Amino acid sequence: MLSIIAVSIFTWLRVVAAADFFYKGHDLSSLRVSEVSGTTYYDGAKGGQQRAAEDILADGGMNTVRLRLWVNPRDSGNQGDAYGTAYTLDLAKRFHAKGQRIYLDFHFSDTWADPGKQGIPRKWPKELDPLASTLRKYVASTLGHFKAAGVPIAIVALGNEIRPGMLWPVGKANPGQNGSFKNLSVLWKAAREGVSDAVAAGLKKPEVMIHIDNGWDSQLQQNWFAGLTASGVVTTKDWDVIGLSFYPFYNTRATFANLATSMRNLATKYNKPIHVAETDYPAECTGKYKAKPQMSEPSIPSNVGGQTQWVQKTIQTVKAVPNGLGQGIFYWEPTWTNNTGLGSACEDAILFASKWSGSKAAATSRTSVNMFK
Ligand SMILES: *[C@@H]1O[C@H](CO)[C@@H](O)[C@H](O)[C@H]1NC(C)=O
Ligand SMILES: *[C@@H]1O[C@H](CO)[C@@H](O)[C@H](O)[C@H]1NC(C)=O
Ligand SMILES: *[C@@H]1O[C@H](CO)[C@@H](O)[C@H](O)[C@H]1NC(C)=O
């Protein structure tokens, strides 16, 4: 009896603690790239005064910054070191100094890793065992750099949108086939051990995230986590939180109702906090350059007001996850003036409107910077 009471109090405390802090984040990985190449940010609400983009977004309710991390960006033919460890650590220090929590998004690649590509870093081994030990050391040493710089990490995602696995071809996985997760589970576990190594060396333990795309697809999510854990190498104790991507323009089934079902089923099965790790919504989508996509929630307009509506309805959906397990949302790259489509067929999904003069941009915040208020 006593132990039952103790357990329920413990569960209740955990639920309350989980519900305490709701992550409202922006992915600002490209902010420094934009600044260096000539973007200046202005606050549309403060008489148009020039301000740091993160200050404008913090006024709009941002409490966390998400940052992606590539292994050796130059090895993939990139000109600079953007998204490499030094670049990302600099940004993390800057945002930490301003009171933001940091969510570190490991891609385990020299370039973009997403469901379409998950390339092994050029200088890494291509065989499972040496690859796994390189990965483990890389995670431990990278997290060690953050520790040495005094930047705590709130959330660390081991891989970016790893639905079809990571570190291809070795770590390729197919959610329809449990057996195909074998190598992925060995690699993911190695990355997880890298986190433990860093913690053993004094890092404050971040919440370990698994991040999958198509967050609205419940069957996919169920199959995926069953596949990952099928061999027993990775167990449910190994991860703390689940991150889902949820975009309006890739699939008409990406509805709030489907997202709610998918998150509820994950919460019931795994009892772990869940975040929408990536989302965005167009301020403009005319079909002028590319065929206009069909939106998953067609009642929401593709304009600045629609950006806020989409995000607020997504937040409501996350907050409705049972037991307070819906824990956060992250908007993808709202300051990226040079890439306003953000991977969609729409013209512009960022939260600033730019006036260009040659290669320089004056970017003024839209009212949608207040989407988290
Ligand atoms: C935009 O990208 C072009 C091509 O990479 C670059 O020359 C320019 O400096 C960039 N401008 C801004 C403001 O980001
Ligand atoms: C999984 O790893 C083993 C051992 O390195 C390798 O023989 C096999 O080809 C890998 N599977 C895939 C799909 O690459
Ligand atoms: C994968 O494994 C889980 C758990 O063992 C099982 O429920 C599920 O049916 C399996 N899926 C496939 C496609 O074999």
Side-chain angles (χ1 to χ4, degrees):
M1 183 63 185
L2 253 185
S3 71
I4 290 173
I5 292 172
V7 166
S8 11
I9 289 176
F10 177 73
T11 305
W12 175 79
L13 282 173
R14 202 160 43 116
V15 166
V16 169
D20 247 349
F21 188 86
F22 192 85
Y23 286 84
K24 294 172 176 171
H26 288 290
D27 188 315
L28 300 181
S29 302
S30 293
L31 180 55
R32 192 70 199 135
V33 170
S34 297
E35 291 171 340
V36 167
S37 59
T39 300
T40 310
Y41 293 88
Y42 297 91
D43 191 332
K46 291 211 161 148
Q49 86 184 55
Q50 190 184 326
R51 295 180 76 200
E54 70 270 27
D55 295 343
I56 300 171
L57 292 165
D59 284 359
M62 172 177 78
N63 58 27
T64 305
V65 177
R66 178 178 193 255
L67 296 169
R68 71 173 155 274
L69 191 52
W70 294 350
V71 176
N72 289 306
R74 282 181 198 271
D75 287 353
S76 68
N78 275 44
Q79 293 293 308
D81 292 317
Y83 322 123
T85 303
Y87 170 97
T88 300
L89 184 52
D90 273 355
L91 278 181
K93 279 188 216 163
R94 166 175 159 184
F95 301 133
H96 168 62
K98 291 189 171 178
Q100 295 293 324
R101 292 196 189 193
I102 303 298
Y103 159 4
L104 191 60
D105 170 29
F106 275 111
H107 280 222
F108 300 143
S109 187
D110 293 329
T111 183
W112 295 106
D114 58 39
K117 53 189 174 323
Q118 296 275 348
I120 296 181
R122 203 172 77 192
K123 298 205 177 84
W124 286 17
K126 312 282 184 280
E127 300 288 320
L128 183 62
D129 291 342
L131 180 59
S133 65
T134 300
L135 175 61
R136 176 173 178 167
K137 284 188 205 124
Y138 164 75
V139 169
S141 85
T142 305
L143 295 177
H145 291 309
F146 281 76
K147 154 99 179 31
V151 179
I153 299 166
I155 298 174
V156 63
L158 302 177
N160 186 67
E161 295 191 325
I162 58 170
R163 164 169 52 96
M166 63 190 197
L167 296 156
W168 288 356
V170 181
K172 204 159 192 161
N174 173 0
Q177 250 181 300
N178 283 350
S180 75
F181 278 73
K182 245 190 167 137
N183 287 2
L184 174 63
S185 60
V186 169
L187 292 170
W188 196 89
K189 180 75 172 199
R192 178 65 186 82
E193 283 168 341
V195 178
S196 297
D197 295 344
V199 170
L203 180 82
K204 181 172 184 291
K205 188 180 164 294
E207 294 193 288
V208 174
M209 175 186 277
I210 295 181
H211 171 208
I212 312 292
D213 69 324
N214 290 349
W216 50 270
D217 187 342
S218 184
Q219 192 60 57
L220 165 74
Q221 305 302 331
Q222 294 296 324
N223 289 347
W224 198 92
F225 285 95
L228 182 72
T229 50
S231 68
V233 171
V234 175
T235 70
T236 56
K237 285 197 212 87
D238 288 324
W239 76 90
D240 303 307
V241 300
I242 293 172
L244 304 173
S245 294
F246 178 61
Y247 287 105
F249 32 58
Y250 296 132
N251 197 306
T252 52
R253 286 179 293 156
T255 60
F256 299 124
N258 284 341
L259 178 66
T261 303
S262 174
M263 290 191 298
R264 187 177 58 242
N265 290 342
L266 281 173
T268 306
K269 172 111 191 181
Y270 294 104
N271 194 30
K272 309 263 185 189
I274 303 174
H275 300 259
V276 167
E278 285 184 24
T279 192
D280 66 49
Y281 202 83
E284 202 184 345
C285 197
T286 63
K288 205 157 53 182
Y289 306 113
K290 291 185 192 165
K292 189 170 153 61
Q294 220 185 320
M295 304 300 262
S296 59
E297 291 285 355
S299 69
I300 300 181
S302 293
N303 60 27
V304 171
Q307 293 185 302
T308 299
Q309 262 186 58
W310 169 264
V311 163
Q312 292 191 343
K313 290 206 170 155
T314 304
I315 290 175
Q316 276 170 26
T317 310
V318 173
K319 286 192 168 169
V321 176
N323 299 325
L325 289 169
Q327 218 177 70
I329 183 170
F330 297 86
Y331 197 94
W332 200 62
E333 289 273 24
T335 63
W336 206 354
T337 49
N338 230 352
N339 182 21
T340 56
L342 298 183
S344 74
C346 300
E347 290 96 307
D348 188 345
I350 73 170
L351 303 184
F352 292 79
S354 297
K355 279 211 180 74
W356 287 87
S357 131
S359 68
K360 305 234 176 284
T364 301
S365 59
R366 298 173 161 143
T367 54
S368 47
V369 291
N370 296 317
M371 53 183 30
F372 293 152
K373 268 187 177 165

